[in-house]
Amino acid sequence: YREEDPFHVDFRRGRAYHLPTSYRHPYFRTFGVRGQPNYHNSYYNNEIQSRLDRAGGAATPKVVNVDDFGAKANGRDDSQAFKKAWNYACSSSQGAIMVAVTFNECTNLRVSSLRIKDAQQMHVIFQKCVNVKAFNLLVSAPGNSPNTDGIHVTGTQNIYINNCVIGTGDDCISIVSGSKNVRATGITCGPGHGISIGSLGAGNSAAYVSNVIINKATLSGTDNGVRIKTWQGGSGYAKNIKFQNIVMYNVSNPIIIDQNYCDQENPCRKQTSAVQVSNVLYQNIRGTSASNVAMKFDCSQSVPCRQIYLQNVALKAEETQQASSSCANVILSYRGDVSPPCSSRS
């Protein structure tokens, strides 16, 4: 089997890869220019807000809790209680606030035009779902709120996330094991930890993520930009991934692959196995880095990152210092202008 060059073809064999004509010029005219909105901000943000305002109306929205509809949290099936609560919330003429939301094992699901605010942890979870459309979502929580991912995708296939504004204390979008055919476009992110694939492979587990496209996004003041993170000791893969047409403003780690992820106070034990990261494309990415390391590829010595493609990347330091790239155990290919380049590509 010979893997294909993502500069020329899409993930599906024989399908040409290009940006639709209708998106090309309006987006790139303001690409990376401070003080001007990017292609989707000015329209999408106003559109989301106006739709939500129309849905909510002037009256105070009702608070809908599944406990009031018979949910007991005693290990028995509460699906009917959730269904009744959801139907009541959706039919309210004055708008409604639906408390704690997880979509589990849903097929042909559509979630749209909702405002989700201040969840205790993850705001919206799609778990083991198939064929999902999520669009016009406004997700918000304080920037210092822990583990408050905006949209969390786990074990889900064929999901399209579109026109969403997300600001939380953790990942705006997190994509973890078992997820396949994930597309997110028109995403505004900040504050938060950026858009992440992972973490994968915790506790020596096997993890599998493939066919992910993040297209037309703006990230402002986030801890990370677009990130892939895996634990040492894991197995499996994260492959066929595209990050394209992205603007970053004052982002601490704009582009990062971390195969030595360790989310604990004590140093993690050194292990040789790792989740394989391959066939990743970074294309048309512009903006500023809050740190002097704009791109960081910290890959496994035993399972290096391979087929990592960079095309038309321009990242500058937010302050006066010169931005650089840190690259370890990675095989890179460059097309067009790439700045700052790695001093070593392996």
Side-chain angles (χ1 to χ4, degrees):
Y1 174 74
R2 180 177 178 271
E3 295 201 41
E4 297 165 312
D5 182 349
F7 288 125
H8 297 293
V9 294
D10 207 340
F11 296 134
R12 296 182 180 179
R13 186 178 301 276
R15 179 180 174 184
Y17 169 69
H18 58 85
L19 191 65
T21 303
S22 59
Y23 290 141
R24 287 178 188 166
H25 302 297
Y27 186 80
F28 288 106
R29 267 203 297 270
T30 60
F31 209 64
V33 179
R34 177 169 292 282
Q36 294 187 31
N38 67 53
Y39 173 68
H40 66 272
N41 264 1
S42 59
Y43 171 75
Y44 289 153
N45 292 7
N46 293 337
E47 179 67 11
I48 291 171
Q49 190 63 52
S50 63
R51 290 187 184 188
L52 291 169
D53 290 342
R54 289 197 302 269
T60 302
K62 294 181 180 180
V63 176
V64 182
N65 194 315
V66 294
D67 293 351
D68 299 332
F69 291 82
K72 299 295 184 182
N74 57 3
R76 296 183 179 179
D77 185 1
D78 285 330
S79 59
Q80 290 303 311
F82 274 83
K83 183 177 180 180
K84 291 176 183 177
W86 189 257
N87 287 339
Y88 179 78
C90 292
S91 63
S92 174
S93 60
Q94 64 192 58
I97 297 173
M98 180 78 173
V99 179
V101 178
T102 299
F103 298 96
N104 185 45
E105 297 185 7
C106 299
T107 302
N108 299 327
L109 173 66
R110 172 175 162 164
V111 180
S112 68
S113 301
L114 297 179
R115 179 189 288 115
I116 303 116
K117 187 175 186 294
D118 294 340
Q120 291 180 331
Q121 287 197 349
M122 296 178 179
H123 284 73
V124 182
I125 301 174
F126 296 103
Q127 178 173 299
K128 297 181 180 178
C129 297
V130 178
N131 298 337
V132 177
K133 291 183 178 180
F135 54 96
N136 296 341
L137 302 181
L138 180 59
V139 183
S140 63
N144 61 354
S145 55
N147 301 317
T148 53
D149 293 30
I151 298 176
H152 183 69
V153 180
T154 175
T156 291
Q157 299 186 23
N158 305 333
I159 177 170
Y160 180 42
I161 303 167
N162 182 238
N163 295 359
C164 295
V165 177
I166 306 169
T168 68
D170 211 294
D171 295 329
C172 289
I173 298 176
S174 54
I175 302 164
V176 299
S177 186
S179 298
K180 182 179 180 181
N181 299 334
V182 179
R183 182 169 184 176
T185 185
I187 305 299
T188 299
C189 172
H193 293 182
I195 298 173
S196 292
I197 296 174
S199 60
L200 306 175
N204 301 96
S205 63
Y208 304 93
V209 173
S210 62
N211 297 359
V212 177
I213 298 177
I214 308 298
N215 183 30
K216 297 200 294 295
T218 297
L219 298 99
S220 301
T222 54
D223 290 350
N224 302 286
V226 289
R227 174 171 61 161
I228 301 173
K229 53 180 179 175
T230 72
W231 292 79
Q232 295 182 72
S235 60
Y237 56 75
K239 65 179 183 180
N240 299 348
I241 298 163
K242 292 180 180 178
F243 300 107
Q244 60 189 65
N245 305 318
I246 295 173
V247 179
M248 301 196 191
Y249 296 128
N250 199 31
V251 172
S252 294
N253 299 288
I255 293 176
I256 180 170
I257 296 179
D258 186 1
Q259 279 189 295
N260 297 297
Y261 179 71
C262 182
D263 187 18
Q264 61 186 45
E265 291 185 5
N266 298 324
C268 293
R269 180 171 62 90
K270 285 284 187 181
Q271 301 183 65
T272 56
S273 62
V275 176
Q276 174 71 71
V277 178
S278 65
N279 201 26
V280 183
L281 171 64
Y282 300 90
Q283 183 182 57
N284 298 334
I285 297 178
R286 302 280 189 274
T288 57
S289 174
S291 65
N292 61 358
V293 178
M295 292 192 293
K296 182 177 181 180
F297 300 103
D298 184 12
C299 298
S300 165
Q301 188 172 6
S302 56
V303 189
C305 302
R306 58 187 178 87
Q307 293 175 296
I308 309 300
Y309 303 92
L310 297 164
Q311 181 179 23
N312 297 333
V313 174
L315 295 168
K316 299 180 180 179
E318 181 75 12
E319 302 297 336
T320 57
Q321 73 265 26
Q322 183 70 31
S324 63
S325 293
S326 173
C327 307
N329 307 310
V330 58
I331 301 172
L332 296 172
S333 292
Y334 293 168
R335 293 285 178 89
D337 295 326
V338 175
S339 178
C342 284
S343 57
S344 172
R345 302 190 192 182
S346 62

